Amino acid sequence: LKHVLAPANREVLAQFAWSNVLLGFDFDGTLAPIVSEPDRAALPPSTRRLLRSVANYYPCIVISGRSRSDVAKRLRGVGVHEIIGNHGIEPWHGTLRYRREVDRWRPLLERRLAAWRGIAIEDKRLSLALHYRHCRKRRQARAAILRAVQALGDIRVIHGKLVVNVLPRDAPHKGIALENALDRLRCDTAIYVGDDETDEDVFAMEDSGRFLGVHVGSKRASLASYRLRGQSEVNRLLRALIDLRRRCGRRDPGP
Ligand SMILES: [Mg+2]
């Protein structure tokens, strides 16, 4: 993966920035640093300031695994154009069917995992998140969760940090969510920045030439063509994006 801010790649970034581009960001681990208690995740003040300015120059969306309302309260006042929650599902027409599926799973999982102290089932309405960070035997807890969810049938499992997410198999993923947002906001291209397994669904669409994918993190292999070494570099990318639009003379309309 090439570093997106390396001088050699400046031209590519500029071409995208000067096109009719949509910016998409994951939340945790991308805009907000990973914290040990997910409920404490927040935008650092510097990122908040920069993102507010970026959102004045570009249409911006955030696509997160969190529920939409959860992300919305963390981004209040920033001015992003859309927030998409539940790994790309929310909002989505036809969500009632997914809601019913999730409603069916929940009591089954509660029963199967009742013996496990410390496992918390978070109901995000269109998906479930099974947290095992508070379990003493995390490896065994994770194995128990995987056994329990496999018995549900046609599901998609997404592994997170000390959490196993369970989604309806055919629900839209982040890549589909981004494509739909492109249509809705009438954009031609997209720059998408993310660090998760689910962000790979976006990066997988890169060969169309319409997407510039930026994977955040140095460890994992990714389908993205570009990377930032870590979440701490996201501010640099935001600054570069602001500079590129300032240079081509578009004025910041202000907050
Ligand atoms: Mg993330």
Side-chain angles (χ1 to χ4, degrees):
L1 269 63
K2 300 167 275 189
H3 197 287
V4 69
L5 296 173
N9 303 321
R10 195 62 177 199
E11 192 54 34
V12 178
L13 187 63
Q15 287 310 320
F16 269 89
W18 294 336
S19 68
N20 178 23
V21 68
L22 172 67
L23 304 186
F25 301 93
D26 170 45
F27 186 74
D28 293 85
T30 300
L31 293 174
I34 296 287
V35 287
S36 58
E37 287 294 327
D39 203 40
R40 301 229 175 106
L43 286 186
S46 54
T47 308
R48 173 173 288 270
R49 214 166 35 242
L50 287 165
L51 189 59
R52 206 184 285 145
S53 179
V54 165
N56 280 328
Y57 285 109
Y58 302 85
C60 290
I61 63 169
V62 172
I63 312 180
S64 171
R66 292 176 183 266
S67 74
R68 195 177 180 216
S69 57
D70 183 331
V71 186
K73 75 174 187 229
R74 291 165 211 276
L75 286 173
R76 200 164 287 148
V78 175
V80 298
H81 292 66
E82 277 187 19
I83 294 166
I84 296 166
N86 265 296
H87 310 276
I89 310 178
E90 183 188 25
W92 186 262
H93 55 267
T95 46
L96 185 61
R97 185 164 57 86
Y98 301 138
R99 175 66 194 154
R100 287 204 188 105
E101 271 188 78
V102 172
D103 275 344
R104 185 176 60 82
W105 299 341
R106 189 180 173 162
L108 294 174
L109 292 177
E110 278 170 350
R111 216 175 315 133
R112 281 187 199 131
L113 296 169
W116 282 89
R117 290 183 57 193
I119 291 179
I121 301 180
E122 182 190 356
D123 187 344
K124 296 191 282 185
R125 298 185 58 83
L126 303 171
S127 71
L128 294 177
L130 295 101
H131 299 271
Y132 56 94
R133 93 176 44 245
H134 295 300
C135 291
R136 234 184 291 159
K137 295 178 177 172
R138 284 175 174 171
R139 200 143 46 95
Q140 288 95 319
R142 183 170 177 276
I145 289 172
L146 291 178
R147 274 195 306 275
V149 302
Q150 238 85 69
L152 297 175
D154 212 14
I155 53 158
R156 179 174 185 201
V157 173
I158 296 171
H159 301 278
K161 287 158 189 107
L162 302 178
V163 60
V164 174
N165 299 285
V166 191
L167 291 73
R169 158 74 63 193
D170 62 345
H173 55 60
K174 283 190 175 190
I176 293 173
L178 184 67
E179 289 229 303
N180 286 328
L182 272 177
D183 285 347
R184 250 191 335 271
L185 298 167
R186 297 169 200 275
C187 293
D188 302 320
T189 58
I191 298 174
Y192 185 79
V193 192
D195 72 316
D196 282 295
E197 186 186 320
T198 49
D199 297 313
E200 296 298 319
D201 290 324
V202 178
F203 301 144
M205 304 191 308
E206 250 195 83
D207 17 338
S208 68
R210 298 167 70 206
F211 299 99
L212 186 145
V214 182
H215 171 68
V216 179
S218 52
K219 280 185 215 131
R220 208 160 47 80
S222 172
L223 295 171
S225 302
Y226 295 90
R227 77 154 83 246
L228 291 170
R229 274 185 294 266
Q231 193 278 327
S232 60
E233 288 191 332
V234 166
N235 279 0
R236 282 183 59 205
L237 175 61
L238 295 179
R239 239 175 256 124
L241 289 166
I242 295 167
D243 287 347
L244 283 165
R245 283 255 162 135
R246 276 199 185 135
R247 264 208 281 149
C248 76
R250 299 196 196 199
R251 282 190 50 230
D252 185 344

